[in-house]
Amino acid sequence: MIFKDFDLKKLFQLMQEHEVSELSFKDGKTEISIKRGREPIFVNTAVPVREAQATSAQTTAPRPEEKELETPSKSEIPLENYHAVTAPLVGTFYRASGPDAAPFVEVGDQVKTGDVLCIVEAMKSMNEIQSDVNGIVKEICANNAELVEFDQVLFKIQKNG
Amino acid sequence: MIFKDFDLKKLFQLMQEHEVSELSFKDGKTEISIKRGREPIFVNTAVPVREAQATSAQTTAPRPEEKELETPSKSEIPLENYHAVTAPLVGTFYRASGPDAAPFVEVGDQVKTGDVLCIVEAMKSMNEIQSDVNGIVKEICANNAELVEFDQVLFKIQKNG
Amino acid sequence: MISKILIANRGEIAVRIIRAAKEMGIKTAVVYSKADKESLAVKLADQAICIGPAPSAESYLFYQNILSAALSSKADAIHPGYGFLAENSHFSDACRAMKIIFIGPKSNAIRRMGDKAMAKELMRNSGVPVIPGSDGIVDSFNSACETVEKTGFPIIIKASAGGGGKGMRIVDEKKELERAFNYAATEAQQAFGDSRVYIEKYIGSPKHIEVQILGDKHGNVVHLFERDCSIQRRHQKLIEEAPSPSIDKDTRKKLGEIAVKAAQSVEYDSAGTVEFLYNVDTNEFFFMEMNTRIQVEHPVSEMITGIDLIKYQIRIANGEELDIKQKHIEQRGHALECRINAENPEKDFHPNPGKITQLRVPGGPGIRIDSGVYSGYTIPPYYDSMVAKLIAWGTNRKEAIDRMKRGLDEFHIEGIKTTIPFHKEVMKHKEFLSGQYTTDFISKYMS
Amino acid sequence: MISKILIANRGEIAVRIIRAAKEMGIKTAVVYSKADKESLAVKLADQAICIGPAPSAESYLFYQNILSAALSSKADAIHPGYGFLAENSHFSDACRAMKIIFIGPKSNAIRRMGDKAMAKELMRNSGVPVIPGSDGIVDSFNSACETVEKTGFPIIIKASAGGGGKGMRIVDEKKELERAFNYAATEAQQAFGDSRVYIEKYIGSPKHIEVQILGDKHGNVVHLFERDCSIQRRHQKLIEEAPSPSIDKDTRKKLGEIAVKAAQSVEYDSAGTVEFLYNVDTNEFFFMEMNTRIQVEHPVSEMITGIDLIKYQIRIANGEELDIKQKHIEQRGHALECRINAENPEKDFHPNPGKITQLRVPGGPGIRIDSGVYSGYTIPPYYDSMVAKLIAWGTNRKEAIDRMKRGLDEFHIEGIKTTIPFHKEVMKHKEFLSGQYTTDFISKYMS
């Protein structure tokens, strides 16, 4: 069959390259269905909405629509295969317990379930955000002392252990 | 199967080239479905615009967009293969020279170039509309004593002679 | 000086507040639930902050995230809009505790007007006419009987914490009283967690007349005349107009003065509305309640007076003294508002959310649109169904109605069903045209 | 009584006329060229009649098909809008000959005001101040020299049949005069088929002030105050406002009276505009010309007076007597209009027709949109480039400007370039904000 030497990654790359948005295929009696081109996605340029990129769960590849709506992110790391720790509440993000204290974690650190990753200050109260997995911190996605939205991705962690 | 010597890349290129947005295919009993073009066509439902369906020339099959915009027409005869005589000016359409006179032509009549087909009254002046072909009148497309627009189809004639 | 407002609301009122703030050079941050990330308010605000998932209880009603968003985004004031937290004195207290300006009246005014039975009592003591009925709460069937002896039938039992028709019962005869009393208390308990009810003389076919108020923190209170909001369906206003076609000049003056008195009795310091029942037969009016917030129908008052109510709300919250005196406030012409809801009027006004595939809004002279939607927008199913407010102004009532008809004809929405056909019917109805319609108009003529 | 109007125009003004007629309960038929079959006017009118191919000469300027369409569709009146046939006395004569009411002034008024040199002469005789210059036509270089001896330099040579800057020459010195005179005459001949020119004293940085007039067939004439249309680019108005920020109350009164006098001198019986040059240094104003039609910028006058000019045009054409007296016409607040054109302001305002893929128009208080486009509409390349008029009203000039800024920010058009960025620049320009800007504003500050 035509997919013989194909792996999925290559297929997706190919689809992306050619703006193919849907493809379905059946082998038994060879069914193919391909869809190209997208709905014109409205990209909000006026307001910098910081999008919550994923929920606090093992994430899957983002759908192309979601990709479009991301703000120019510092992130070069795709969410696939990473675990996202998101903000459970709105507030100000702090990487350390005080102005002179060392950050709770840095990129590359090994963390385990229950380790404090950061603080989100909400209404003058300090809320510790803990890791819910064991793994290595791959990216810190929020800026110190800045507002984080509900469900905003704060850390990407590569699970292990 | 038809995709035998095809690879997907070529297929995508081909689709892109031809703005094919959907393609489905079934092998068992060879089913094909292709969808091209992207924009939903706006169909005017609010105002009954009487569309001029064709110019005074040998007509070709109307494009789908034009079909969509046609008013519910009395016509069951497709324009293909017929010659359309259209209104060269705006006015009131009369099939006869006076209220008691016989119509200039009826469906089925043989007409020749120069024969008067109808009158369009514009600003109190009577304008004779002549046939510009030889042929048989297949349909009279306007109602007696009613307004005809610029370029509105008045007669469909099957050319001969 | 307020330099940034956090808007704790959604839909058209969030957009309305953004517009006022923009014109004043004030920055805006709007909060939104995950269901509202494509909303017009999110597109128009300077900043947008997601505060929770779709359900209101976890987003638009969830103080903590809203206050935290205000603090972290460095907003110095919160505008609550209407609904949600607008008349919640705990929330306004919490704002104050966080040193954030709550754009609304002082908490005490919210509290005193929020308890409907207490508010009636207060009004009675301030010399504002109230409907004959119980002195505050009726806590037993016996005390209900005593009240009814004074008022006579028919009477209406209402929940003290209530609104929206919940916990209400109309009673025509003595023998129905006990049963109705128990039902009302149970329903009030279920709906508001508060079983307290009170009793009023029931006026069968009244008009709902309300007076727009502006009070500042310096003791000044003015009114912007009345609105007639008698076109209601199950206590939901659908069409409002100003001035009321059945109020004459003298009554207007008197109503305005009484409304000002009502506002002054609670040292009211924001935009608010004093609602009256108007008995068209006897020409009497009675205080019903005071809404301590901006209202959906505020644009009709703006259209006839030229005064931007939201801007004044903000200025007042900022401590500024009212720069308009009563004598400077003039009416010009007539204005109507139709609430266009995503509901199917052919199917008992069942909500009809979905994607607006094509939208053309009316324009031209005398037409104003307050809306939170746009072509391509998908209306989420979680919140109220209002899509747009169509407001029409004319030099007189006839011209305003003719404009409204024209605007409704022009309004072109594809993808969802709306109440536009319903409004078209009302606009040509003889009873509506006469101006003499009362709150039973819809049940009487349009069902 | 007029029961059906044929609209011999396109774009936003066709829509504007449909709106007025609808509100009056009058049926509408709109004519359209083959390029305009998807236009908003075609969608909104009761009937739409194709009258020819895209080029104006074969459609919107082609009397025969337009009159024939009116007769065959049983319209009893024609509204010409502005441009095209609006100031063509032959067309209005032809309407009359066909017993169709021409919604505009009598042909004689069109003719007398259409010949600019003749109109000036007429005004001078009626006691209306005109710019010093030639007594009518200057038919030779010698007679030009005589005129200049009286007026002094600088002078401007203008085409008598003219408009739009064609056939105009400004002359600063005697030695340039002969050459300029010949150029102007040649250009006038080429542009209008009429080489006649006249000479005026040239005022360097004037304001363009115009007064809106309404006259009826019973001898009544009123004015609706002035508009300031000094923001122009190559004699094309881009922004208009009312009232003018540099006219005081006394001057306003005087200007209004003079404009009424000008209209009365030709027994003017429709909506019209008397245009003046206003010398801000000397506080003098001079009659320029009278436009015998509704103008693009009429909404700003409607916004401050509440009067619907198109409806009055129709009523007057119908023979009705004006039901408003001068003393009843009051100004309220301030209004601005920005003409939003499909032009690229970054590329010398080059027209930029094309498909509007997404459109969100501003709304809310004080905002009015007069437009002939919608989301998904393709602007044809054959006609003028105006996409929409954005009109903002405020209680004072500052609020109107703040509203306009907010409206421009909100206006979201995808698919074509527009002049919105240009308008935003003007709205924050110090000179514009001062209100003292003159007709050279754009060449001086925005080029």
Side-chain angles (χ1 to χ4, degrees), chain D residues 359-425:
Chain D
L359 177 70
R360 285 198 323 261
V361 297
I367 291 291
R368 167 176 168 183
I369 313 270
D370 278 37
S371 160
V373 304
Y374 53 86
S375 198
Y377 176 69
T378 300
I379 299 165
Y382 308 102
Y383 314 106
D384 83 90
S385 60
M386 195 166 69
V387 175
K389 304 188 307 203
L390 174 56
I391 302 119
W393 179 92
T395 49
N396 51 45
R397 186 165 189 260
K398 184 181 181 310
E399 185 173 55
I401 291 173
D402 288 338
R403 286 245 165 88
M404 181 59 86
K405 282 182 185 167
R406 189 267 291 174
L408 290 166
D409 278 346
E410 247 178 68
F411 218 122
H412 180 86
I413 306 184
E414 286 177 38
I416 56 164
K417 295 263 186 202
T418 73
T419 50
I420 289 173
F422 164 83
H423 289 296
K424 286 184 184 175
E425 287 303 309

Side-chain angles (χ1 to χ4, degrees), chain C residues 356-368:
Chain C
I356 296 174
T357 52
Q358 175 75 2
L359 177 69
R360 285 200 322 259
V361 297
I367 290 291
R368 166 176 169 184

Side-chain angles (χ1 to χ4, degrees), chain D residues 103-378:
Chain D
I103 301 176
K106 56 170 70 76
S107 301
N108 201 34
I110 299 177
R111 246 188 304 274
R112 290 167 82 187
M113 287 301 186
D115 186 316
K116 305 303 173 192
M118 201 162 105
K120 249 189 85 174
E121 197 54 35
L122 179 69
M123 288 304 110
R124 202 197 318 270
N125 297 339
S126 308
V128 173
V130 297
I131 302 177
S134 57
D135 296 333
I137 301 303
V138 175
D139 54 7
S140 68
F141 173 59
N142 267 355
S143 116
C145 290
E146 279 168 36
T147 301
V148 170
E149 228 139 89
K150 285 185 299 175
T151 60
F153 284 98
I155 56 114
I156 183 164
I157 309 173
K158 288 182 176 178
S160 187
K166 295 269 165 60
M168 278 193 192
R169 276 289 183 288
I170 296 160
V171 188
D172 290 314
E173 292 175 276
K174 181 88 193 233
K175 64 174 184 190
E176 297 166 12
L177 186 62
E178 183 163 14
R179 192 173 157 159
F181 176 80
N182 292 333
Y183 268 132
T186 308
E187 215 172 283
Q189 176 67 38
Q190 281 165 358
F192 312 109
D194 180 348
S195 67
R196 293 176 309 149
V197 298
Y198 62 102
I199 289 176
E200 281 175 357
K201 173 88 183 158
Y202 178 67
I203 298 165
S205 297
K207 264 186 178 282
H208 175 118
I209 303 287
E210 57 186 35
V211 178
Q212 177 66 51
I213 285 295
L214 275 179
D216 67 13
K217 295 182 191 303
H218 306 271
N220 303 299
V221 180
V222 295
H223 68 86
L224 279 76
F225 312 106
E226 84 286 358
R227 294 185 286 258
D228 192 327
C229 310
S230 305
I231 303 289
Q232 303 183 351
R233 188 180 165 274
R234 297 182 190 160
H235 299 276
Q236 291 292 321
K237 297 167 189 166
L238 296 177
I239 298 172
E240 302 95 352
E241 62 180 310
S244 169
S246 57
I247 299 283
D248 63 23
K249 211 179 146 190
D250 289 343
T251 309
R252 175 164 301 124
K253 191 159 178 287
K254 207 170 142 196
L255 259 180
E257 285 164 2
I258 287 174
V260 167
K261 198 189 284 179
Q264 281 168 333
S265 75
V266 290
E267 296 176 325
Y268 198 78
D269 57 342
S270 187
T273 302
V274 186
E275 297 192 330
F276 296 94
L277 271 190
Y278 178 63
N279 189 333
V280 280
D281 299 324
T282 62
N283 201 29
E284 291 171 298
F285 46 87
F286 304 105
F287 172 84
M288 233 188 325
E289 62 179 50
M290 180 164 188
N291 290 321
T292 57
R293 54 168 159 85
I294 195 73
Q295 280 186 300
V296 176
E297 61 270 28
H298 76 276
V300 293
S301 301
E302 293 184 325
M303 294 297 271
I304 61 162
T305 61
I307 289 171
D308 187 319
L309 285 164
I310 306 285
K311 284 186 189 166
Y312 272 99
Q313 261 195 318
I314 295 170
R315 288 191 197 113
I316 291 165
N318 200 35
E320 292 173 40
E321 194 166 349
L322 276 177
D323 59 359
I324 38 170
K325 302 272 170 230
Q326 191 64 54
K327 63 180 176 196
H328 300 139
I329 304 173
E330 278 173 43
Q331 296 186 77
R332 179 186 248 187
H334 198 97
L336 293 161
E337 174 182 280
C338 286
R339 300 189 188 190
I340 296 174
N341 296 341
E343 294 169 359
N344 190 344
E346 284 170 24
K347 293 196 174 166
D348 199 32
F349 294 84
H350 196 76
N352 195 265
K355 182 169 180 174
I356 297 174
T357 52
Q358 176 75 2
L359 177 70
R360 285 198 323 261
V361 297
I367 291 291
R368 167 176 168 183
I369 313 270
D370 278 37
S371 160
V373 304
Y374 53 86
S375 198
Y377 176 69
T378 300

Side-chain angles (χ1 to χ4, degrees), chain A residues 39 42 46-51 69 89-92 121-124 147 149-151, chain C residues 32 34 37-38 42-43 45-53 64-65 67-68 71-72:
Chain A
E39 292 262 304
F42 187 79
V47 186
V49 182
R50 201 176 288 164
E51 253 317 292
L69 280 160
L89 77 176
V90 180
T92 307
E121 180 192 356
M123 297 172 70
K124 322 275 183 201
L147 168 69
E149 296 186 303
F150 172 75
D151 229 11
Chain C
Y32 68 97
K34 297 199 85 167
K37 71 178 178 187
E38 295 295 333
V42 166
K43 291 185 193 301
D46 296 306
Q47 189 180 7
I49 303 159
C50 183
I51 48 158
Q64 181 184 310
N65 277 350
L67 287 167
S68 189
L71 290 167
S72 294

Side-chain angles (χ1 to χ4, degrees), chain C residues 84-111:
Chain C
F84 296 131
L85 299 167
E87 288 174 290
N88 186 318
S89 60
H90 305 294
F91 179 67
S92 71
D93 280 340
C95 287
R96 233 160 300 256
M98 294 289 152
K99 304 218 184 308
I100 294 169
I101 295 171
F102 175 81
I103 301 176
K106 55 171 70 77
S107 301
N108 201 33
I110 299 178
R111 246 187 304 274

